[in-house]
Amino acid sequence: MSTPRPGSVVFQNIRKQFGAFTAIHDLSIAIEPGTLVTLLGPSGCGKTTTLRMLAGLEHPTSGRIIIGGKDVTMLPANERDVSMVFQSYALFPHMTSLDNVAYGLESSGLKRKEARERAEDGLKLVGLAGMGQRLPAELSGGQQQRVAVARALVLEPQVLLLDEPLSNLDARLRRSVRTEIRDLQQRLGFTAVYVTHDQDEALAVSDRIIIMKDGVIAQEGTPRDLYEAPASAFIADFMGEANVMPCEVIAVQGADATIRIAGLEHKVPSRNARLGAARLAVRPNSITLEAASNAPFPGRITHAAYLGDHIEYEVETADGSLFVVDPGVERALTPQTDIAIGFKGRGIAIISG
Ligand SMILES: Nc1ncnc2c1ncn2[C@@H]1O[C@H](COP(=O)(O)OP(=O)(O)O)[C@@H](O)[C@H]1O
Ligand SMILES: [Mg+2]
């Protein structure tokens, strides 16, 4: 194991039961200092439970949690050097935003004057200089969220924890606040563990993503790994739309595998592929539609929908129906047109599960 550095996080074989129900099965994670790692997964998969165990708000049934090289498994929340930004913001409604940010500093023993100075700096950091005297109710949702982030950051924790921090914001604001959080994290270089069920948000903010399903890790990797090389149909579908199709692996050579589907042969990353029957996850925009003459993999357009900057097609093939996104809006194919299916170089992966 590498030397522990401040801000590193390790989960070793964490299990969490609530009575007879096992919410987390044997979870092991290692997070590098200064990175933003997202726990992503459908509702109920155990994201919040994992984050709360890191915060010290829940204790694991077994396993160890190590922050900055120190075993904190049994430590209470206030001795862990982490702070959490809650989905609901959890601001004190009767206190100004400055007092909200200063509160944690004062409770940790800082003199009032110094706490307020640090709180001013915190508000400045999140773009709220001069707003210190406002009550939470006098701020927009996005501004309240920034106060909550400032309040967590001024404590200079080793790790910042964010649980669905954008879910109370409207769609337009979500994009700008997520950019702000990511900018701040990169600028200040702190470690962050971010929880969301939204794959776009996870792709946009993360260095690494851990996808969870039913209390276990389904796959972990960079946003690009997960999108371009999903290990299973669940991941392929969860990380955006995908066509899952049967294929045959006809050759494996080092990093490349050649697959055949209908009469079409194509090279894809081999990963752990074995010869024989397999399944392929194909992104809708990785399929090309060509003229039908002597097509190795023929299909027929069944539906076409013009969506401004792309056209969505449904294509019937011998291997099932495919969903295709074509940026070529200048050429619209009409239903009943016979076409030849081709694959682009990216966005096609052999999947195991
Ligand atoms: N305090 C609790 N008591 C009993 N079951 C719980 C408790 N907290 C969470 N759970 C259960 O654990 C599972 C994971 O919950 P949670 O971590 O909140 O999921 P997520 O945040 O991914 O939506 C769910 O099935 C949930 O009902
Ligand atoms: Mg949750």
Side-chain angles (χ1 to χ4, degrees):
M1 215 168 78
S2 58
T3 358
R5 285 180 288 153
S8 62
V9 173
V10 176
F11 270 51
Q12 280 178 357
N13 305 107
I14 291 293
R15 177 183 177 84
K16 175 64 179 173
Q17 285 183 218
F18 293 108
F21 175 71
T22 305
I24 301 294
H25 309 258
D26 196 20
L27 185 76
S28 294
I29 307 179
I31 296 176
E32 286 291 313
T35 60
L36 191 156
V37 173
T38 296
L39 306 177
L40 172 68
S43 178
C45 71
K47 306 178 297 291
T48 295
T49 302
T50 303
L51 206 64
R52 287 174 61 83
M53 287 194 285
L54 190 49
L57 301 170
E58 294 284 358
H59 290 284
T61 307
S62 60
R64 298 206 305 155
I65 300 176
I66 297 156
I67 299 175
K70 181 175 169 188
D71 189 331
V72 300
T73 316
M74 291 303 157
L75 287 185
N78 60 358
E79 290 174 30
R80 291 202 176 194
D81 203 9
V82 300
S83 39
M84 182 129 157
V85 176
F86 295 91
Q87 184 172 354
S88 59
Y89 317 146
L91 299 176
F92 296 117
H94 59 284
M95 281 166 44
T96 64
S97 48
L98 186 72
D99 285 336
N100 264 288
V101 178
Y103 181 83
L105 292 166
E106 283 186 63
S107 342
S108 68
L110 219 61
K111 294 241 161 51
R112 184 168 172 79
K113 181 163 173 292
E114 200 188 335
R116 292 172 67 97
E117 280 168 13
R118 293 250 303 262
E120 287 279 9
D121 290 344
L123 287 174
K124 209 179 292 170
L125 208 55
V126 297
L128 290 179
M131 302 269 205
Q133 293 319 306
R134 298 217 194 158
L135 294 171
E138 297 167 333
L139 297 170
S140 70
Q143 290 170 329
Q144 291 179 41
Q145 181 58 292
R146 287 193 239 163
V147 173
V149 170
R151 179 179 59 180
L153 279 180
V154 292
L155 299 171
E156 299 180 355
Q158 286 194 55
V159 186
L160 186 71
L161 311 178
L162 303 114
D163 190 3
E164 308 257 6
L166 310 183
S167 57
N168 289 337
L169 304 177
D170 64 48
R172 193 184 283 233
L173 207 52
R174 253 180 249 154
R175 186 185 298 269
S176 65
V177 176
R178 81 184 184 200
T179 308
E180 282 171 24
I181 290 175
R182 176 59 162 164
D183 282 353
L184 209 54
Q185 183 268 329
Q186 289 187 312
R187 197 147 47 85
L188 303 180
F190 56 84
T191 309
V193 184
Y194 191 106
V195 162
T196 182
H197 64 274
D198 181 319
Q199 67 277 19
D200 277 344
E201 198 177 313
L203 287 172
V205 301
S206 314
D207 292 300
R208 294 183 71 74
I209 300 174
I210 296 170
I211 303 187
M212 296 176 66
K213 187 187 181 203
D214 301 333
V216 299
I217 296 178
Q219 193 179 353
E220 131 172 48
T222 62
R224 191 180 280 268
D225 289 341
L226 295 175
Y227 190 82
E228 294 188 2
S232 64
F234 168 76
I235 304 287
D237 225 38
F238 198 73
M239 295 305 289
E241 286 182 274
N243 295 288
V244 174
M245 330 164 66
C247 72
E248 196 188 350
V249 180
I250 56 170
V252 178
Q253 270 189 323
D256 288 330
T258 305
I259 58 97
R260 184 158 57 207
I261 181 162
L264 182 71
E265 292 183 8
H266 192 75
K267 272 207 168 69
V268 297
S270 61
R271 306 171 75 201
N272 300 318
R274 286 198 222 124
L275 294 181
R279 290 200 301 164
L280 212 55
V282 182
R283 296 293 173 199
N285 59 7
S286 295
I287 295 174
T288 60
L289 304 175
E290 324 281 344
S293 57
N294 60 48
F297 186 5
R300 173 174 287 185
I301 309 280
T302 52
H303 292 282
Y306 170 81
L307 287 155
D309 62 349
H310 66 272
I311 299 179
E312 289 183 358
Y313 293 106
E314 256 177 60
V315 183
E316 197 178 87
T317 75
D319 284 302
S321 166
L322 300 180
F323 173 60
V324 179
V325 167
D326 186 352
V329 286
E330 59 286 345
R331 169 201 76 164
L333 300 167
T334 48
Q336 306 315 320
T337 307
D338 288 320
I339 48 85
I341 288 173
F343 289 152
K344 295 186 189 167
R346 309 185 75 84
I348 298 168
I350 298 172
I351 53 177
S352 49

